[in-house]
């Protein structure tokens, strides 16, 4: 359990570092896939978000389809 917790923390720190870099470059709050502005509610809920809700939803749907094909 401790190893899993450390791994999650390490991943979160990496995401925070990435968010800090995008703030410094002026690119924070814009989707890396389509370039659209990420909604304020999404940024409040997940400040490390790099994709808008539409692109993230598409990614999740594609992943679900891949999992279903494997079965």
């Amino acid at each position: 359990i401790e190893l899993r917790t450390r791994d999650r923390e390490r991943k979160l720190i990496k995401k925070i570092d990435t968010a800090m870099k995008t703030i410094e470059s002026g690119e924070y709050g814009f989707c890396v896939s389509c370039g659209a502005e990420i909604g304020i509610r999404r940024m409040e809920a997940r400040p490390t978000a790099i994709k808008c809700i539409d692109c993230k939803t598409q990614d999740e749907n594609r992943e679900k389809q891949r999992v279903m094909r494997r079965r």
Side-chain angles (χ1 to χ4, degrees):
I1 294 173
E2 187 175 331
L3 290 174
R4 191 177 326 149
T5 301
R6 284 184 190 178
D7 187 50
R8 290 178 73 195
E9 288 173 349
R10 188 178 67 243
K11 288 177 182 177
L12 180 57
I13 289 169
K14 184 178 178 183
K15 288 180 181 181
I16 292 169
D17 287 341
T18 300
M20 296 295 290
K21 288 176 186 172
T22 60
I23 289 169
E24 291 170 1
S25 70
E27 298 174 5
Y28 182 75
F30 293 94
C31 179
V32 296
S33 293
C34 69
E37 189 172 349
I38 300 173
I40 188 71
R41 283 196 240 148
R42 177 155 171 74
M43 295 306 296
E44 288 174 341
R46 184 170 295 272
T48 58
I50 60 171
K51 293 186 177 184
C52 67
I53 195 69
D54 292 337
C55 290
K56 184 64 176 172
T57 301
Q58 286 176 355
D59 286 352
E60 290 172 354
N61 289 338
R62 281 188 215 117
E63 182 60 28
K64 285 179 188 176
Q65 289 174 354
R66 275 184 271 209
V67 170
M68 295 301 283
R69 286 185 204 144
R70 291 181 194 158
R71 295 182 182 178

